[in-house]
Structure formats: structure tokens, C-alpha cells
Amino acid sequence: MNSDSDLQIAGDLLEVPHLLQPAREHPATVAEFAGLARALAADRAQWAPLVQYDATSRWYHRLRTGPGYEVWLLSWVPGQGSGSHDHGRSSGVLTVLAGELTERSESGSRALAPGAQRVFAPGYVHEVVNDSIEPAVSLHIYYPGLTEMPMHSARCAPAAQDVVPA
């Protein structure tokens, strides 16, 4: 046994292409969805010209779809929030692109600055709010695509359903 490592590769792994995984066209793992969100966030020219602000309700725009998933762009003016909700059978990645948002859940409250990401599983109950004095923009990826968004009371009991992404 080698004291440095129990595994030794003879030669260069890149010289053995049949051992390498082909690059996937679309994300398939949580890490790949989070990576897609980071890549989209970094490409400001792709999303910034699309952003609009609406004083009466959160603005949202479907940015992209892929096999089984969808990407949404949302804007939040100060004071706007999602209400307490879950995403039905969908998992998701929330990424703050600009401004600051607050996420509230049973485990507490957390401020989300630009670049912050939250990953959630089906049934995760939370509320997202713009508590700041500046507008905010966020990117949301849902897998599978969002088909329901059950609303919850403050006690986390299901209420009505809405399919506006959050």
C-alpha cells in the first residue's frame, strides 16, 4: 500500500476517452442545476434587458425550458413577497441576481445577497420577501417544471393554490 494514496492511476486519464463521461446537454443533478443557475446569473446580458418591475405584483418571465425543467426570472420591488408556499412535487434552485431578498422558513430567516443560492426539495415551505429599500431580481429553476404552488398560512397549513413561480 502506498502511504500517499491507496489509488494510483497509471498514465494520463485524459488519454483514455472511453473512461470519461460525455458532457450532458441538460442538467440532471442538483449540482448541475445549481451550476446552470450560476452560469445564467453570470451572463447578465442574457437576463438584465428582460427585467421589468411592477408595483402591483411580482413580475416574472419564463427564461428557458429544458427536458423536465424550467427557468424563471422574477423581480421584486420593496415590500413584495411570495407568501408562505411550497412547490408541490418540484425541487428548485433560487439564485439572487440583484438586490437582496429574505427567505423565511420554519428554520428561521436568512438574508440572501446577490449570488446567494437556496436549493429546496418538494414540499419545502418558505416565503421570499424583498424587505430592502431597493428592487431585487432572482432566478428560479424548477424540476420538474412548476405545476402547483400550494399556499400556506403562517402555521404552514395548506391554503389555496397558485402557480406563480417563487
Coordinates of all heavy atoms in Angstrom, one line a residue, residues 38-97:
R38 N -25.9 29.4 -11.7 CA -24.7 30.3 -11.6 C -24.3 30.8 -13.0 O -23.9 32.0 -13.1 CB -23.6 29.6 -10.9 CG -23.8 29.5 -9.4 CD -22.5 29.0 -8.7 NE -22.0 27.7 -9.1 CZ -22.5 26.6 -8.7 NH1 -23.4 26.5 -7.8 NH2 -22.0 25.5 -9.2
A39 N -24.3 29.9 -14.0 CA -23.9 30.3 -15.3 C -24.9 31.4 -15.9 O -24.4 32.4 -16.5 CB -23.9 29.1 -16.2
L40 N -26.2 31.2 -15.7 CA -27.1 32.2 -16.2 C -27.0 33.5 -15.4 O -27.1 34.6 -16.0 CB -28.6 31.6 -16.0 CG -28.9 30.5 -16.9 CD1 -30.3 29.9 -16.5 CD2 -29.0 31.0 -18.4
A41 N -26.7 33.4 -14.1 CA -26.5 34.6 -13.3 C -25.3 35.4 -13.8 O -25.4 36.7 -13.9 CB -26.4 34.3 -11.8
A42 N -24.3 34.7 -14.2 CA -23.1 35.4 -14.7 C -23.2 36.0 -16.1 O -22.5 37.0 -16.4 CB -21.9 34.4 -14.7
D43 N -24.2 35.6 -16.8 CA -24.5 36.1 -18.2 C -25.5 37.2 -18.1 O -26.6 37.0 -18.6 CB -24.9 35.0 -19.1 CG -25.0 35.4 -20.5 OD1 -24.7 36.6 -20.8 OD2 -25.3 34.6 -21.4
R44 N -25.2 38.3 -17.5 CA -26.1 39.4 -17.2 C -26.8 39.9 -18.5 O -27.9 40.3 -18.5 CB -25.4 40.5 -16.5 CG -26.3 41.6 -16.0 CD -25.5 42.7 -15.2 NE -26.4 43.7 -14.7 CZ -27.0 43.6 -13.5 NH1 -26.8 42.5 -12.8 NH2 -27.8 44.5 -13.2
A45 N -26.0 39.9 -19.6 CA -26.6 40.3 -20.9 C -27.8 39.5 -21.3 O -28.7 40.0 -22.1 CB -25.5 40.3 -22.0
Q46 N -27.9 38.3 -20.9 CA -29.0 37.4 -21.2 C -30.3 37.7 -20.5 O -31.4 37.6 -21.0 CB -28.6 35.9 -21.0 CG -29.6 35.0 -21.5 CD -29.2 33.5 -21.3 OE1 -30.1 32.7 -21.1 NE2 -28.0 33.2 -21.4
W47 N -30.2 38.1 -19.2 CA -31.4 38.3 -18.4 C -31.7 39.8 -18.1 O -32.8 40.2 -18.0 CB -31.3 37.5 -17.1 CG -30.2 37.8 -16.2 CD1 -29.0 37.1 -16.2 CD2 -30.0 38.8 -15.2 NE1 -28.2 37.6 -15.2 CE2 -28.8 38.6 -14.6 CE3 -30.9 39.8 -14.8 CZ2 -28.3 39.5 -13.6 CZ3 -30.4 40.7 -13.8 CH2 -29.2 40.5 -13.2
A48 N -30.7 40.6 -17.9 CA -30.9 42.0 -17.5 C -31.8 42.8 -18.4 O -32.7 43.5 -17.9 CB -29.6 42.8 -17.3
P49 N -31.7 42.7 -19.7 CA -32.6 43.5 -20.6 C -34.1 43.1 -20.5 O -35.0 43.8 -20.9 CB -32.1 43.2 -22.0 CG -30.7 42.7 -21.8 CD -30.7 42.0 -20.5
L50 N -34.3 41.9 -20.0 CA -35.7 41.4 -19.9 C -36.4 41.8 -18.6 O -37.7 41.8 -18.5 CB -35.7 39.9 -19.9 CG -35.1 39.2 -21.1 CD1 -35.0 37.7 -20.9 CD2 -35.9 39.5 -22.4
V51 N -35.7 42.3 -17.6 CA -36.3 42.6 -16.3 C -37.2 43.8 -16.4 O -36.9 44.8 -17.0 CB -35.2 42.8 -15.2 CG1 -35.8 43.3 -13.9 CG2 -34.3 41.6 -15.0
Q52 N -38.3 43.6 -15.8 CA -39.3 44.7 -15.6 C -39.7 44.7 -14.1 O -39.6 43.7 -13.4 CB -40.5 44.5 -16.5 CG -40.2 44.4 -18.0 CD -41.4 44.1 -18.8 OE1 -42.6 44.4 -18.4 NE2 -41.2 43.5 -20.0
Y53 N -40.2 45.9 -13.7 CA -40.7 46.0 -12.3 C -42.2 46.4 -12.4 O -42.6 47.2 -13.2 CB -39.9 47.0 -11.6 CG -38.5 46.6 -11.4 CD1 -37.5 47.1 -12.3 CD2 -38.0 45.7 -10.5 CE1 -36.2 46.7 -12.2 CE2 -36.7 45.3 -10.4 CZ -35.8 45.9 -11.3 OH -34.5 45.5 -11.2
D54 N -43.0 45.8 -11.5 CA -44.4 46.0 -11.4 C -44.7 46.4 -10.0 O -44.5 45.5 -9.1 CB -45.2 44.8 -11.9 CG -46.7 45.0 -12.0 OD1 -47.2 45.8 -11.2 OD2 -47.3 44.2 -12.7
A55 N -45.3 47.5 -9.7 CA -45.6 48.0 -8.4 C -46.7 47.2 -7.8 O -46.9 47.2 -6.5 CB -45.9 49.5 -8.4
T56 N -47.6 46.6 -8.6 CA -48.8 45.9 -8.0 C -48.6 44.4 -7.7 O -49.3 43.9 -6.9 CB -50.0 46.1 -9.0 OG1 -49.6 45.5 -10.3 CG2 -50.3 47.5 -9.2
S57 N -47.6 43.8 -8.4 CA -47.4 42.4 -8.2 C -46.0 42.0 -8.6 O -45.4 42.7 -9.5 CB -48.4 41.5 -8.9 OG -48.2 41.5 -10.3
R58 N -45.5 40.9 -8.2 CA -44.2 40.4 -8.6 C -44.2 40.2 -10.1 O -45.2 39.6 -10.6 CB -43.8 39.1 -7.9 CG -43.3 39.3 -6.5 CD -43.1 38.0 -5.8 NE -44.3 37.2 -5.7 CZ -44.5 36.0 -6.1 NH1 -43.4 35.3 -6.5 NH2 -45.6 35.4 -6.0
W59 N -43.2 40.6 -10.8 CA -43.1 40.4 -12.3 C -42.3 39.1 -12.5 O -41.4 38.8 -11.7 CB -42.4 41.5 -12.9 CG -42.0 41.3 -14.3 CD1 -42.8 41.6 -15.4 CD2 -40.8 40.7 -14.9 NE1 -42.2 41.2 -16.6 CE2 -40.9 40.7 -16.3 CE3 -39.7 40.2 -14.3 CZ2 -40.0 40.2 -17.1 CZ3 -38.7 39.7 -15.1 CH2 -38.8 39.7 -16.5
Y60 N -42.7 38.3 -13.4 CA -42.0 37.0 -13.7 C -42.0 36.8 -15.2 O -42.9 37.2 -15.9 CB -42.6 35.9 -12.9 CG -44.1 35.7 -13.1 CD1 -44.6 34.9 -14.0 CD2 -44.9 36.4 -12.2 CE1 -46.0 34.8 -14.1 CE2 -46.3 36.3 -12.3 CZ -46.8 35.5 -13.3 OH -48.2 35.3 -13.4
H61 N -41.0 36.1 -15.7 CA -40.8 35.7 -17.1 C -40.1 34.4 -17.2 O -39.1 34.2 -16.5 CB -39.9 36.8 -17.7 CG -39.5 36.5 -19.1 ND1 -40.3 36.6 -20.2 CD2 -38.3 36.1 -19.6 CE1 -39.7 36.3 -21.3 NE2 -38.4 35.9 -21.0
R62 N -40.7 33.5 -18.0 CA -40.0 32.2 -18.2 C -38.9 32.4 -19.1 O -39.0 32.8 -20.3 CB -41.0 31.1 -18.7 CG -40.3 29.8 -18.8 CD -41.1 28.6 -19.1 NE -42.4 28.9 -19.7 CZ -43.5 28.2 -19.4 NH1 -43.5 27.2 -18.7 NH2 -44.7 28.6 -20.0
L63 N -37.6 32.2 -18.6 CA -36.4 32.5 -19.3 C -36.0 31.3 -20.2 O -35.5 31.5 -21.3 CB -35.3 32.8 -18.4 CG -34.0 33.3 -18.9 CD1 -34.2 34.6 -19.6 CD2 -33.0 33.5 -17.7
R64 N -36.3 30.1 -19.8 CA -35.8 28.9 -20.5 C -36.6 27.7 -20.1 O -37.0 27.6 -18.9 CB -34.3 28.7 -20.3 CG -33.7 27.5 -20.9 CD -32.3 27.3 -20.5 NE -31.4 28.3 -21.0 CZ -30.1 28.2 -20.9 NH1 -29.5 27.2 -20.2 NH2 -29.3 29.2 -21.4
T65 N -36.7 26.7 -21.0 CA -37.2 25.4 -20.6 C -36.2 24.3 -21.1 O -35.5 24.6 -22.1 CB -38.6 25.1 -21.1 OG1 -38.5 25.2 -22.5 CG2 -39.6 26.1 -20.6
G66 N -36.2 23.2 -20.5 CA -35.4 22.1 -21.0 C -36.2 20.8 -20.7 O -37.3 20.9 -20.2
P67 N -35.6 19.7 -20.9 CA -36.3 18.4 -20.6 C -36.7 18.3 -19.1 O -35.9 18.0 -18.3 CB -35.4 17.3 -21.0 CG -34.2 18.0 -21.7 CD -34.3 19.4 -21.4
G68 N -38.0 18.6 -18.9 CA -38.5 18.4 -17.5 C -38.2 19.6 -16.6 O -38.6 19.6 -15.4
Y69 N -37.5 20.6 -17.0 CA -37.3 21.8 -16.1 C -37.6 23.1 -16.8 O -37.8 23.2 -18.0 CB -35.8 21.8 -15.6 CG -34.8 22.2 -16.6 CD1 -34.4 23.5 -16.8 CD2 -34.2 21.2 -17.5 CE1 -33.5 23.8 -17.7 CE2 -33.3 21.5 -18.4 CZ -32.9 22.9 -18.5 OH -32.0 23.2 -19.5
E70 N -37.8 24.1 -15.9 CA -38.0 25.5 -16.4 C -37.2 26.5 -15.6 O -37.0 26.2 -14.4 CB -39.5 25.8 -16.5 CG -40.2 25.6 -15.3 CD -41.7 25.8 -15.5 OE1 -42.2 25.8 -16.6 OE2 -42.4 25.9 -14.5
V71 N -36.9 27.6 -16.2 CA -36.1 28.6 -15.5 C -36.9 29.9 -15.6 O -37.4 30.3 -16.7 CB -34.7 28.9 -16.3 CG1 -34.0 30.0 -15.6 CG2 -33.9 27.6 -16.3
W72 N -37.1 30.5 -14.4 CA -37.9 31.7 -14.3 C -37.1 32.9 -13.8 O -36.2 32.7 -12.9 CB -39.1 31.5 -13.4 CG -40.1 30.6 -13.9 CD1 -40.2 29.2 -13.8 CD2 -41.3 31.0 -14.6 NE1 -41.3 28.8 -14.4 CE2 -42.0 29.8 -14.9 CE3 -41.8 32.2 -15.0 CZ2 -43.2 29.8 -15.6 CZ3 -43.1 32.2 -15.7 CH2 -43.7 31.0 -16.0
L73 N -37.3 34.1 -14.3 CA -36.7 35.3 -13.9 C -37.8 36.1 -13.2 O -38.9 36.2 -13.7 CB -36.2 36.1 -15.1 CG -35.4 37.3 -14.9 CD1 -34.1 37.1 -14.2 CD2 -35.1 38.0 -16.3
L74 N -37.5 36.6 -11.9 CA -38.5 37.3 -11.2 C -37.9 38.6 -10.7 O -36.7 38.7 -10.5 CB -39.0 36.6 -9.9 CG -40.0 35.5 -10.1 CD1 -39.5 34.2 -10.7 CD2 -40.6 35.1 -8.7
S75 N -38.8 39.6 -10.6 CA -38.4 40.9 -10.0 C -39.3 41.2 -8.8 O -40.5 40.8 -8.8 CB -38.3 42.1 -11.0 OG -39.7 42.4 -11.4
W76 N -38.7 41.9 -7.9 CA -39.4 42.2 -6.6 C -39.1 43.6 -6.2 O -38.0 44.0 -6.0 CB -38.8 41.3 -5.5 CG -38.6 39.9 -5.8 CD1 -37.7 39.3 -6.6 CD2 -39.3 38.8 -5.2 NE1 -37.8 38.0 -6.6 CE2 -38.8 37.6 -5.7 CE3 -40.4 38.7 -4.3 CZ2 -39.2 36.3 -5.4 CZ3 -40.9 37.4 -3.9 CH2 -40.3 36.3 -4.5
V77 N -40.2 44.5 -6.1 CA -40.0 45.8 -5.6 C -40.0 45.8 -4.1 O -40.5 44.8 -3.6 CB -41.0 46.8 -6.2 CG1 -40.8 46.9 -7.8 CG2 -42.4 46.5 -5.9
P78 N -39.5 46.8 -3.4 CA -39.6 46.7 -1.9 C -41.0 46.4 -1.4 O -42.0 46.9 -1.9 CB -39.1 48.1 -1.5 CG -38.2 48.5 -2.7 CD -38.9 48.0 -3.9
G79 N -41.0 45.5 -0.5 CA -42.3 45.1 0.2 C -43.0 43.9 -0.5 O -43.9 43.3 0.1
Q80 N -42.6 43.5 -1.7 CA -43.3 42.4 -2.3 C -42.8 41.1 -1.8 O -41.6 41.0 -1.5 CB -43.1 42.4 -3.9 CG -43.9 43.5 -4.5 CD -43.7 43.6 -6.0 OE1 -42.7 43.1 -6.6 NE2 -44.7 44.2 -6.7
G81 N -43.7 40.1 -1.7 CA -43.3 38.8 -1.2 C -44.1 37.7 -1.9 O -45.1 38.0 -2.5
S82 N -43.7 36.5 -1.7 CA -44.4 35.4 -2.3 C -45.5 34.8 -1.5 O -46.4 34.1 -2.0 CB -43.4 34.3 -2.5 OG -42.9 33.8 -1.3
G83 N -45.6 35.1 -0.2 CA -46.5 34.4 0.7 C -45.9 33.1 1.0 O -45.0 32.6 0.3
S84 N -46.3 32.5 2.1 CA -45.8 31.2 2.5 C -46.3 30.1 1.6 O -47.5 30.0 1.4 CB -46.2 30.9 4.0 OG -45.6 29.7 4.4
H85 N -45.4 29.3 1.0 CA -45.8 28.3 0.0 C -44.8 27.2 -0.2 O -43.7 27.3 0.4 CB -45.9 29.0 -1.4 CG -44.6 29.5 -1.9 ND1 -44.0 30.6 -1.5 CD2 -43.7 29.0 -2.8 CE1 -42.8 30.8 -2.1 NE2 -42.6 29.8 -2.9
D86 N -45.2 26.2 -0.9 CA -44.2 25.1 -1.3 C -44.4 25.0 -2.8 O -45.1 25.8 -3.4 CB -44.4 23.8 -0.6 CG -45.7 23.1 -0.9 OD1 -45.9 22.7 -2.1 OD2 -46.5 22.8 0.0
H87 N -43.6 24.1 -3.4 CA -43.6 24.0 -4.9 C -44.1 22.6 -5.4 O -43.7 22.1 -6.4 CB -42.2 24.2 -5.4 CG -41.7 25.6 -5.1 ND1 -41.0 25.8 -4.0 CD2 -41.9 26.8 -5.6 CE1 -40.7 27.1 -3.9 NE2 -41.3 27.7 -4.9
G88 N -45.1 22.1 -4.6 CA -45.7 20.8 -4.9 C -44.6 19.7 -5.1 O -43.7 19.6 -4.3
R89 N -44.6 19.0 -6.2 CA -43.7 18.0 -6.5 C -42.3 18.4 -7.1 O -41.5 17.6 -7.3 CB -44.3 16.9 -7.4 CG -44.6 17.4 -8.7 CD -45.4 16.3 -9.5 NE -45.5 16.7 -10.9 CZ -44.8 16.2 -11.9 NH1 -43.9 15.3 -11.6 NH2 -44.9 16.6 -13.1
S90 N -42.2 19.7 -7.2 CA -41.0 20.3 -7.9 C -39.9 20.6 -6.8 O -40.1 21.0 -5.7 CB -41.3 21.6 -8.6 OG -42.2 21.3 -9.6
S91 N -38.6 20.3 -7.2 CA -37.5 20.7 -6.5 C -37.0 22.0 -7.1 O -37.4 22.3 -8.3 CB -36.3 19.7 -6.6 OG -36.7 18.5 -6.0
G92 N -36.2 22.8 -6.5 CA -35.8 24.0 -7.1 C -34.5 24.6 -6.6 O -33.9 24.1 -5.6
V93 N -34.0 25.6 -7.4 CA -32.8 26.4 -7.0 C -33.2 27.8 -7.2 O -33.7 28.2 -8.2 CB -31.6 26.1 -8.0 CG1 -30.4 26.9 -7.6 CG2 -31.2 24.6 -7.9
L94 N -33.1 28.6 -6.1 CA -33.3 30.0 -6.1 C -32.0 30.7 -6.1 O -31.1 30.4 -5.2 CB -34.2 30.4 -4.9 CG -34.5 31.9 -4.7 CD1 -35.7 32.0 -3.8 CD2 -33.4 32.7 -4.1
T95 N -31.7 31.7 -7.0 CA -30.5 32.4 -7.0 C -30.8 33.9 -7.1 O -31.5 34.3 -7.9 CB -29.6 32.0 -8.2 OG1 -29.4 30.6 -8.2 CG2 -28.3 32.7 -8.3
V96 N -30.2 34.7 -6.2 CA -30.4 36.1 -6.2 C -29.4 36.7 -7.2 O -28.2 36.5 -7.1 CB -30.2 36.7 -4.8 CG1 -30.4 38.3 -4.9 CG2 -31.2 36.1 -3.8
L97 N -30.0 37.5 -8.1 CA -29.2 38.1 -9.2 C -28.8 39.6 -8.8 O -27.7 40.0 -9.2 CB -29.9 38.1 -10.5 CG -30.4 36.7 -11.0 CD1 -31.1 36.9 -12.3 CD2 -29.2 35.8 -11.2

